[in-house]
Amino acid sequence: MDNYRFILSGGGTGGHIYPAVAIANELKSRYPDAEFLFVGAKDRMEMEKVPKAGYKIEGLWISGLQRQLTLKNLMFPFKLISSLIKAGDIVNKFKPDVVIGTGGFASGPLLQRASSKGVPCVLQEQNSYAGITNKLLAKKAKKICVAYDNMEQFFPADKIVKTGNPVRGDLVAMNVSKEDALSFFELDVHKPTLLVLGGSLGARRVNQLIEKELDFFKQLGIQLIWQCGKLYFEEYKKYNSETVKVFDFVNKMDFAYTAADIVISRAGAGSVSELCIVGKPVIYIPSPNVAEDHQTKNAQALEAENAALLIREKDLDADFEMEFEVLFKNETKQKELSKNSKNMAMPNATITIVDEIEKLLKK
């Protein structure tokens, strides 16, 4: 039987959407006649990204709880009830064989309704610190695919499978030469290169740091590939020069990673998984403005294995120049970080996750 039916739900950020699409693509390659439906939150980026990837999506009227008492919070019970009703209708109509949740608000109501109707559910948790939606759903899930050790503190141990996080296929292959990568960005093949990643929308504090340190990098003879994010591109494009290349978004990430000698990045789960596979020395500057401070915890998990450096936003002014210069001038340390981060990489994550889904289909 090839005409299985799958519902995938996750969204709010690229970190939840990308894994869901990667899992769907792998399932589709194994079951070309299968039917797929994505379920997201009505006004979030998945409503645009998922159709671009070639899949149908339905939106629920749902959002997260805010930390303060706001109008949005007062609406939450109504949104939740509305979403549970719509999610129930979707499950009844589509009749999925398996439902896969990758985190984010919309996956809550959908997996809750699916599991209550006896549909087997698989959770994929990208972070080293589990999100609230997945923690609530864990009891009903059949399998929970994780990317870090010690996840028993959040989930039942007998359901956990360590698979890693899905990453883009072109990164696993990385077939570009360093010369080609640097000439693609019109940079000097003899100069050390720093890659700066602030996430798809950008990171204000990271961009402010880079702007402030441009002279410092120049003194060290470093050239930059700076992805400042689409929210900040207008503000920073004036720094474009022979040695500084400013982008709102870098489409050819395999080229960017190959060109880089050192990387500065946020510590979202997707970025961390990619950077481990790429195996470059990384300084993580986690965003402090995310749920449960999970980016700091992702970066700490690497720091504990001597696989990356971590500088918190509040310490940037005091520590950044010294820590960066020490790493830049110490090739042994760079190699150590590269080797240890590669050891933590799990390049076959998507295949392993889909193997787990197949086991449920066979049951």
Side-chain angles (χ1 to χ4, degrees):
M1 171 173 156
D2 256 14
N3 48 349
Y4 289 117
R5 303 170 76 81
F6 299 102
I7 295 182
L8 296 102
S9 183
T13 65
H16 295 308
I17 301 162
Y18 179 75
V21 170
I23 292 165
N25 290 343
E26 176 65 23
L27 281 165
K28 198 176 190 173
S29 74
R30 297 189 198 189
Y31 303 106
D33 300 329
E35 285 195 50
F36 294 87
L37 178 66
F38 278 68
V39 175
K42 254 192 180 130
D43 51 352
R44 303 300 291 259
M45 65 196 275
E46 56 266 28
M47 301 310 289
E48 171 213 348
K49 298 272 186 214
V50 168
K52 267 193 187 159
Y55 294 100
K56 285 191 305 233
I57 186 164
E58 297 232 12
L60 303 179
W61 185 47
I62 187 77
S63 59
L65 274 166
Q66 309 297 312
R67 292 186 192 177
Q68 308 85 0
L69 186 64
T70 60
L71 182 63
K72 268 193 170 165
N73 273 354
L74 297 174
M75 295 299 288
F76 183 77
F78 303 105
K79 287 184 174 182
L80 186 61
I81 292 161
S82 138
S83 294
L84 284 165
I85 294 167
K86 185 166 181 193
D89 290 347
I90 289 171
V91 173
N92 287 341
K93 265 199 209 120
F94 192 78
K95 298 189 168 52
D97 294 291
V98 176
V99 171
I100 301 119
T102 58
F105 316 131
S107 62
L110 188 91
L111 273 82
Q112 205 286 324
R113 298 313 293 145
S115 58
S116 72
K117 292 174 193 292
V119 180
C121 294
V122 176
L123 291 181
Q124 199 256 328
E125 174 56 63
Q126 296 101 30
N127 292 297
S128 64
Y129 192 91
I132 193 159
T133 308
N134 279 351
K135 280 194 277 197
L136 292 170
L137 294 168
K139 281 201 291 289
K140 300 267 178 74
K142 294 275 184 232
K143 278 280 177 249
I144 304 168
C145 299
V146 302
Y148 290 90
D149 295 321
N150 309 318
M151 296 303 281
E152 302 77 22
Q153 54 181 320
F154 309 110
F155 302 130
D158 57 334
K159 295 181 179 182
I160 295 174
V161 190
K162 188 178 174 190
T163 58
N165 286 325
V167 299
R168 291 173 271 206
D170 54 358
L171 297 181
V172 181
M174 287 280 277
N175 290 325
V176 196
S177 76
K178 189 147 187 179
E179 285 74 18
D180 286 350
L182 285 162
S183 65
F184 173 79
F185 290 105
E186 298 177 351
L187 289 168
D188 186 333
V189 293
H190 304 296
K191 277 189 173 172
T193 306
L194 169 66
L195 171 64
V196 180
L197 301 171
S200 50
L201 295 172
R204 175 172 291 286
R205 188 65 187 87
V206 174
N207 287 332
Q208 288 170 339
L209 170 81
I210 299 306
E211 179 179 42
K212 180 179 148 246
E213 301 295 355
L214 284 172
D215 282 343
F216 168 71
F217 295 134
K218 199 174 176 179
Q219 284 162 14
L220 292 172
I222 295 172
Q223 53 192 1
L224 272 80
I225 300 168
W226 179 6
Q227 179 182 293
C228 64
K230 61 179 180 216
L231 297 179
Y232 302 101
F233 184 64
E234 289 307 312
E235 194 179 335
Y236 292 108
K237 65 181 183 189
K238 62 184 180 213
Y239 293 113
N240 233 328
S241 70
E242 247 180 56
T243 54
V244 179
K245 306 297 175 184
V246 186
F247 298 90
D248 55 348
F249 190 73
V250 176
N251 286 315
K252 292 216 176 252
M253 281 311 293
D254 48 345
F255 281 71
Y257 286 137
T258 304
D261 295 297
I262 294 178
V263 182
I264 291 174
S265 177
R266 282 298 202 206
S271 307
V272 169
S273 298
E274 286 189 1
L275 285 161
C276 284
I277 286 171
V278 173
K280 297 277 167 152
V282 186
I283 297 175
Y284 287 108
I285 302 172
S287 168
N289 319 313
V290 291
E292 285 120 353
D293 199 16
H294 65 250
Q295 287 204 6
T296 301
K297 293 170 179 123
N298 291 345
Q300 282 169 331
L302 281 119
E303 190 185 39
E305 301 291 326
N306 189 24
L309 299 182
L310 157 64
I311 308 178
R312 292 169 191 263
E313 277 195 0
K314 62 180 176 49
D315 300 326
L316 284 172
D317 290 336
D319 298 347
F320 177 78
E321 287 192 2
M322 186 189 73
E323 293 223 13
F324 183 89
E325 193 164 351
V326 166
L327 176 64
F328 177 65
K329 292 184 171 167
N330 185 342
E331 275 189 30
T332 314
K333 179 72 173 170
Q334 290 176 31
K335 284 187 180 131
E336 240 171 57
L337 296 180
S338 294
K339 180 169 150 280
N340 293 338
S341 69
K342 269 207 148 136
N343 287 342
M344 293 179 80
M346 301 184 77
N348 300 319
T350 313
I351 291 166
T352 316
I353 292 165
V354 173
D355 290 345
E356 291 299 325
I357 295 167
E358 275 195 327
K359 288 178 196 167
L360 294 176
L361 293 173
K362 303 275 189 288
K363 284 182 182 170

